[in-house]
């Protein structure tokens, strides 16, 4: 995660009343290519992101072969990774003694809507103010904000 994405101490201000807001300019942050095939393992997919290779699949109980994490587990992994990395960056920048971070996540649904539980364990000789601030920072990590605000998804077919 680039240094520029670490949450800052002060919020950004929007346009003043009466000013027109210019549309944001989007820049590519990261990419992934996911490939699945009807032959072989039914729901197994290969994921490539940069030089990294992962797999995903569905569990056996849903017709997959459990050859990799299910898609929601990857989503939780992204949130947990972003949380841990952001906290380590922030604590490092502040010179705080954050020794380690553990983020335990779960996804639950009632069939209509879902929710994510995130439990953070902070290791190290941190005082109560530092712990509170780090938990506050969890609410502003880039992946947390993307999930909370919703991300537009534009789908087109490539030929």
């Amino acid at each position: 995660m680039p240094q520029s994405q670490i949450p800052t101490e002060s919020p950004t201000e929007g346009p003043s009343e009466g000013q027109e807001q210019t549309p944001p300019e989007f820049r590519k942050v990261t990419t992934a290519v996911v490939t699945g095939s009807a032959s072989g393992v039914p729901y197994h997919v290969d994921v490539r992101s940069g030089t990294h290779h992962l797999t995903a699949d569905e569990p056996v109980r849903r017709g997959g072969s459990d050859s990799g994490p299910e898609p929601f587990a990857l989503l939780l992994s992204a949130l947990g990774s972003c949380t841990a990395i952001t906290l380590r960056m922030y604590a490092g920048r502040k010179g705080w003694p954050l020794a380690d971070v553990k983020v335990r996540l779960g996804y639950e649904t009632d069939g209509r809507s879902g929710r994510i539980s995130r439990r953070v364990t902070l290791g190290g000789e941190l005082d109560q103010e530092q712990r509170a601030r780090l938990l506050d920072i969890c609410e502003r990590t880039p992946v947390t904000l993307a999930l909370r605000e919703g991300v537009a998804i534009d789908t087109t077919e490539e030929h």
Side-chain angles (χ1 to χ4, degrees):
M1 178 178 330
Q3 185 82 5
S4 63
Q5 290 185 356
I6 296 175
T8 59
E9 295 288 340
S10 61
T12 58
E13 293 184 25
S16 300
E17 191 174 324
Q19 283 184 326
E20 271 190 45
Q21 188 172 359
T22 57
E25 289 188 33
F26 290 96
R27 63 179 174 78
K28 190 175 288 186
V29 175
T30 192
T31 62
V33 176
V34 179
T35 307
S37 173
S39 63
V41 184
Y43 302 127
H44 173 96
V45 294
D46 292 307
V47 181
R48 294 208 182 269
S49 181
T51 60
H52 306 284
H53 179 248
L54 305 141
T55 59
D57 198 353
E58 289 290 335
V60 173
R61 71 182 187 282
R62 287 204 296 266
S65 64
D66 202 26
S67 63
E70 59 189 291
F72 270 106
L74 293 173
L75 177 70
L76 294 177
S77 297
L79 177 60
S81 299
C82 185
T83 301
I85 290 168
T86 302
L87 293 181
R88 292 185 53 83
M89 285 178 164
Y90 188 86
R93 199 173 73 205
K94 294 287 192 176
W96 293 353
L98 177 62
D100 55 76
V101 178
K102 182 177 185 178
V103 184
R104 186 181 310 271
L105 300 118
Y107 178 77
E108 301 171 335
T109 182
D110 64 3
R112 291 187 316 266
S113 60
R115 67 181 178 196
I116 295 173
S117 63
R118 174 172 50 190
R119 305 291 177 256
V120 180
T121 304
L122 304 170
E125 299 297 320
L126 300 161
D127 64 35
Q128 285 308 108
E129 279 185 32
Q130 291 168 332
R131 290 177 181 281
R133 181 64 181 146
L134 290 171
L135 291 177
D136 184 53
I137 292 297
C138 289
E139 301 306 317
R140 286 189 290 290
T141 69
V143 174
T144 299
L145 294 176
L147 289 172
R148 284 218 169 106
E149 294 171 6
V151 177
I153 301 172
D154 299 319
T155 305
T156 58
E157 181 180 11
E158 286 187 330
H159 297 279

